[in-house]
Amino acid sequence: MRRRQHVNPLGLGFTRRRARPPEIPTGRVLEIEIGCADAQFLFERARLEPDRFYVGIDIRNQLIDDVNRRARDEQQPVAGVFAHANLHLAQLFAPGRAARVFINFPDPWFKRRHHKRRLLDRELALAIHAALEPGGQLLFQTDVWGIALDAMAVLDGLDDELVNAAGPWSFWRGPNPFGARSWREQHCEEDGLPIWRMLYHRR
Ligand SMILES: C[S@@+](CC[C@H](N)C(=O)[O-])C[C@H]1O[C@@H](n2cnc3c(N)ncnc32)[C@H](O)[C@@H]1O
């Protein structure tokens, strides 16, 4: 079946629907990826720490169906949720429920008139902050310089709420500290493209 390459996150359909919260086994430490696509990153995380639970959110429902089919077939502790992170994050998770949130390589929307479709803004950053437990971590990574700068302006701009692990207004130096790679991350590394990473924790 044909997979849609891009979905306009400002499409009207999303504002009319509610997202269905995933079933998270009680007592499991939770990690969330926003914009997970095929959730390669979460499946790799699940192999490293199988006692945790991993939820991927995406606005492309066919990809989410694939993620859930794979999780079932391989009996992995991973669940996909068809939802719009900017609208639905607070509906999906109780406050303080997540140990980690990942945003890996969000869509760049290069054209200026499309910049308003970009994922991370102050409202989403505050919703992520609310979903994290105290000390919980947020990793943001991208290969697009403009996206990295905008993300840092938002995330370091919340300095009473999130602490930058590399120091204020600084990028994380070194490889991904979580031992897994998303599909886009793998391709950037294999092609020698730069990657800008930011790591924060909730106060
Ligand atoms: C460039 S892909 C990156 C996929 C994966 N994280 C990786 O690094 O390979 C960005 C993904 O974010 C999803 N996305 C875009 N806006 C979103 C939103 N508001 N809520 C949830 N997912 C979103 C897209 O559908 C797409 O699958």
Side-chain angles (χ1 to χ4, degrees):
M1 192 197 299
R2 187 174 162 268
R3 294 279 179 272
R4 294 177 73 184
Q5 291 301 311
H6 291 289
V7 168
N8 178 0
L10 302 182
L12 269 181
F14 288 110
T15 56
R16 285 197 294 263
R17 65 189 308 281
R18 286 182 67 79
R20 186 179 308 155
E23 285 179 24
I24 304 168
T26 317
R28 293 271 196 130
V29 174
L30 175 66
E31 300 190 8
I32 299 166
E33 183 181 0
I34 295 176
C36 65
D38 64 357
Q40 170 175 316
F41 182 82
L42 295 180
F43 284 107
E44 289 193 9
R45 286 286 311 139
R47 264 195 296 277
L48 291 171
E49 295 194 78
D51 294 340
R52 297 185 165 213
F53 198 77
Y54 302 87
V55 174
I57 303 172
D58 208 285
I59 51 174
R60 289 188 288 171
N61 58 350
Q62 291 170 343
L63 291 179
I64 289 301
D65 288 346
D66 293 347
V67 168
N68 285 324
R69 196 172 305 114
R70 177 175 172 191
R72 253 192 325 272
D73 291 350
E74 298 179 9
Q75 302 202 328
Q76 299 263 20
V78 176
V81 177
F82 173 48
H84 187 306
N86 304 75
L87 300 172
H88 300 134
L89 195 68
Q91 289 170 25
L92 294 174
F93 306 102
R97 182 64 184 86
R100 289 182 183 149
V101 174
F102 304 101
I103 299 181
N104 299 323
F105 303 85
D107 289 321
W109 296 113
F110 286 115
K111 291 182 183 153
R112 184 166 291 280
R113 70 174 191 279
H114 288 160
H115 281 192
K116 56 184 180 295
R117 298 181 182 180
R118 287 180 171 180
L119 179 73
L120 188 68
D121 58 13
R122 186 178 163 82
E123 285 66 38
L124 181 59
L126 288 169
I128 292 169
H129 173 266
L132 284 172
E133 63 190 24
Q137 295 169 299
L138 167 65
L139 177 72
F140 184 101
Q141 41 180 359
T142 178
D143 56 321
V144 180
W145 175 237
I147 296 272
L149 285 183
D150 286 354
M152 184 169 282
V154 169
L155 297 171
D156 268 73
L158 295 186
D159 58 359
D160 286 343
E161 326 282 351
L162 294 173
V163 180
N164 187 329
W169 306 98
S170 302
F171 292 107
W172 177 257
R173 291 173 192 275
N176 187 321
F178 298 107
R181 290 197 300 188
S182 75
W183 182 90
R184 179 78 196 148
E185 184 172 10
Q186 181 181 340
H187 283 267
C188 287
E189 289 189 345
E190 287 171 0
D191 293 347
L193 296 174
I195 297 175
W196 289 279
R197 296 187 170 96
M198 285 160 260
L199 179 64
Y200 295 83
H201 69 262
R202 180 179 169 167
R203 261 185 222 285

